[in-house]
Amino acid sequence: IRHGIRFYVGNECHTLADVAPTRTLLDWLREDRGLTGTKEGCNEGDCGACTVLVVRLEGDRLVWRAVNACIQFVSMLDGAQVLTIEDMRAPDGSLHPVQQAMVDQHGSQCGFCTPGFVMSMVAGRKADGLAQDEHAIDDMLAGNLCRCTGYAPIVRAMRQAMQ
Ligand code: FES
Ligand code: FES
């Protein structure tokens, strides 16, 4: 019998024998793992600053979901892989195509929202058949708020990243 939960963060496997049922993934990433690229904005599921990817094997395929880490309990992650903004850069240091598109299209100003947008965009690229039209991209990014850019450069970045 195995007690506790086991999941991956990036390529690192974690087995937690004793985690409080209400410990959030956001707090665990930032406080226990020191992964501060995932930001805390509202801390109640509204702003998207804390977006990470939760990857699960469902049937015979991997399903990638953008998830608000501030309302995701660690105790529900058994068997999953969590990917954070720290996992997006390639081993040679080059940026993920979504990150490069954000640079090219000036999609980041203060930068606080940027990791969350990048993670939602990466999930969007993985979605089957996501149309490239503005409305589909708007819908996909609707859970992420930005106070600086006016969104247009971010939508342009997403369009570039989809090409
Ligand atoms: Fe705002 Fe999580 S911190 S949605
Ligand atoms: Fe400042 Fe989006 S770049 S909140």
Side-chain angles (χ1 to χ4, degrees):
I1 297 175
R2 176 164 66 84
H3 297 285
I5 60 165
R6 183 178 297 165
F7 62 102
Y8 281 82
V9 177
N11 292 322
E12 216 174 278
C13 186
H14 297 273
T15 302
L16 304 182
D18 184 18
V19 61
T22 55
R23 182 74 168 155
T24 67
L25 177 57
L26 179 62
D27 287 346
W28 185 81
L29 287 170
R30 291 180 59 87
E31 295 171 5
D32 293 15
R33 305 302 309 155
L35 296 172
T36 53
T38 304
K39 303 304 181 199
E40 179 181 329
C42 65
N43 208 22
E44 57 185 24
D46 288 332
C47 74
C50 64
T51 305
V52 298
L53 294 184
V54 175
V55 187
R56 286 186 185 276
L57 187 62
E58 295 186 6
D60 60 356
R61 68 190 194 107
L62 287 176
V63 177
W64 298 53
R65 289 199 177 85
V67 165
N68 290 332
C70 67
I71 52 171
Q72 169 71 62
F73 296 128
V74 175
S75 53
M76 297 170 70
L77 289 172
D78 192 46
Q81 182 187 32
V82 176
L83 298 173
T84 71
I85 192 69
E86 285 87 352
D87 298 307
M88 293 299 105
R89 200 169 51 171
D92 68 359
S94 58
L95 296 178
H96 187 283
V98 164
Q99 293 175 303
Q100 189 58 54
M102 287 288 266
V103 172
D104 294 346
Q105 301 296 334
H106 308 285
S108 182
Q109 289 185 24
C110 82
F112 192 82
C113 70
T114 307
F117 269 100
V118 166
M119 301 313 285
S120 291
M121 293 159 84
V122 170
R125 279 176 99 230
K126 291 280 183 187
D128 290 338
L130 177 71
Q132 290 219 28
D133 66 85
E134 296 291 291
H135 295 305
I137 292 175
D138 285 351
D139 283 349
M140 191 195 67
L141 299 178
N144 293 81
L145 303 183
C146 175
R147 289 174 174 232
C148 305
T149 62
Y151 298 101
I154 298 173
V155 172
R156 281 198 292 272
M158 186 62 201
R159 230 184 289 136
Q160 175 181 321
M162 295 293 286
Q163 283 166 3

